[in-house]
Amino acid sequence: MERKGFIGGSDCVQIMQGNWLPLWRVKTGFDEPEDLSDNIAVQMGIWTESFNLHWFEKQYDCSVKERQFEMHSVKGKVPCKATIDGTWQGAIIEAKHTNAYNSMEKVIEYYMPQVQFYIHMLAVANGSCHGAHLSVIFGNNKWESAFVSADNDYFDSMWAVVSDFWSYVESNAPPPEASGIKPLNIDKIAVDNMVKRDASKDNQFINSANDYINNQVSAGAFESAKKDLKAMVGDNEREVYSDILSIKRSKNGALRFSQ
């Protein structure tokens, strides 16, 4: 597979992970791309893609358009290439196959650079693209999808990093082995029209969270004791009492506690 002369979606993921040197060696021709023909995870993703899109169509009662097509453009000085799995209603469909123990949240976080890159590419080509459907098979018995909205702020921040990497390719100068890139925050990127919020500096939230955590044990003990006490009231008993607590049966059979 030819990987020289452009930046693709999977390249964006690798660049944002900060391990630049191996990718730089491929992009400059010092190394050949890794042979993935015997990589079972990669090959399974390729072979299950058609089924993945079929299952997406079945779940959404829709028809996936423009399958496996390429788009080319230049962003700044960076030549770009994207291979899109499919489109539906003006949005990208990106098919993934991951292990059964992965989660949709982790898939979204890992592939966010690729997803936002593809969204941008389709927007450039068609004039607009409001987001991407991630269609994910987990292992062999679970499928989920999530809609990731377009986010120009994220793309611009990511592209500044990608452009920095590409400058090393253009100059044929090796990049630093560790770029020190900090992961971009994705909390404000809507997924299924909902965002995340970091409440670590919200005093009211933190106080309530501490109360919740500190009282979990006592709350559990309370519910357990309540259950045990109810079990001690016989079917023919209208009240069981003591000096500290009494349990009375109402006319409808409900047991009420009083101190």
Side-chain angles (χ1 to χ4, degrees):
M1 178 186 295
E2 180 58 60
R3 294 189 62 192
K4 291 170 58 180
F6 66 91
I7 289 295
S10 60
D11 298 328
C12 292
V13 172
Q14 190 169 346
I15 290 168
M16 296 310 294
Q17 289 176 340
N19 189 18
W20 287 9
L21 192 58
L23 182 62
W24 175 86
R25 292 186 63 85
V26 171
K27 293 297 180 181
T28 52
F30 283 99
D31 290 341
E32 289 296 319
E34 181 184 359
D35 181 5
L36 299 175
S37 60
D38 288 327
N39 185 310
I40 189 170
V42 171
Q43 294 304 312
M44 190 173 295
I46 293 172
W47 282 96
T48 59
E49 182 180 296
S50 178
F51 169 76
N52 193 328
L53 295 177
H54 166 73
W55 197 254
F56 183 92
E57 290 179 320
K58 182 179 177 67
Q59 301 308 305
Y60 285 95
D61 191 22
C62 69
S63 178
V64 174
K65 308 294 184 183
E66 302 176 295
R67 298 191 182 202
Q68 278 295 303
F69 68 98
E70 290 186 1
M71 295 184 296
H72 301 263
S73 70
V74 178
K75 175 69 174 177
K77 295 183 178 181
V78 184
C80 306
K81 174 184 173 182
T83 302
I84 306 301
D85 294 336
T87 63
W88 177 49
Q89 295 183 336
I92 298 259
I93 301 174
E94 179 64 17
K96 298 296 184 187
H97 190 170
T98 186
N99 68 77
Y101 304 103
N102 209 346
S103 68
M104 180 59 83
E105 192 68 26
K106 289 180 180 179
V107 171
I108 291 170
E109 182 178 354
Y110 182 85
Y111 288 109
M112 186 62 76
Q114 182 179 18
V115 168
Q116 293 296 332
F117 173 70
Y118 286 170
I119 292 171
H120 176 83
M121 290 287 284
L122 188 62
V124 169
N126 292 357
S128 68
C129 177
H130 55 281
H133 296 274
L134 264 177
S135 179
V136 185
I137 297 173
F138 296 86
N140 65 358
N141 64 356
K142 187 175 77 168
W143 170 90
E144 290 184 33
S145 73
F147 183 78
V148 179
S149 296
D151 191 287
N152 292 330
D153 290 339
Y154 178 94
F155 177 82
D156 290 343
S157 297
M158 178 189 75
W159 205 249
V161 179
V162 173
S163 298
D164 187 25
F165 168 82
W166 190 254
S167 68
Y168 289 100
V169 177
E170 285 188 313
S171 65
N172 215 36
E177 290 190 13
S179 65
I181 296 171
K182 293 183 179 180
L184 296 178
N185 190 292
I186 64 172
D187 287 357
K188 293 183 179 180
I189 300 178
V191 176
D192 293 332
N193 296 317
M194 292 183 288
V195 298
K196 295 169 63 176
R197 178 167 64 90
D198 181 1
S200 58
K201 295 182 179 180
D202 184 328
N203 290 335
Q204 183 178 6
F205 183 92
I206 294 301
N207 288 338
S208 294
N210 281 324
D211 287 343
Y212 172 83
I213 292 169
N214 293 334
N215 286 291
Q216 280 187 96
V217 174
S218 58
F222 172 82
E223 291 298 331
S224 178
K226 185 177 179 181
K227 181 179 179 181
D228 289 344
L229 286 166
K230 284 185 174 181
M232 296 178 196
V233 180
D235 292 341
N236 65 333
E237 294 176 335
R238 68 175 185 272
E239 180 180 0
V240 176
Y241 63 91
S242 70
D243 291 339
I244 60 174
L245 181 72
S246 67
I247 307 172
K248 296 181 179 180
R249 189 187 302 277
S250 65
K251 288 184 178 181
N252 65 4
L255 296 176
R256 294 180 298 179
F257 289 71
S258 62
Q259 293 174 273

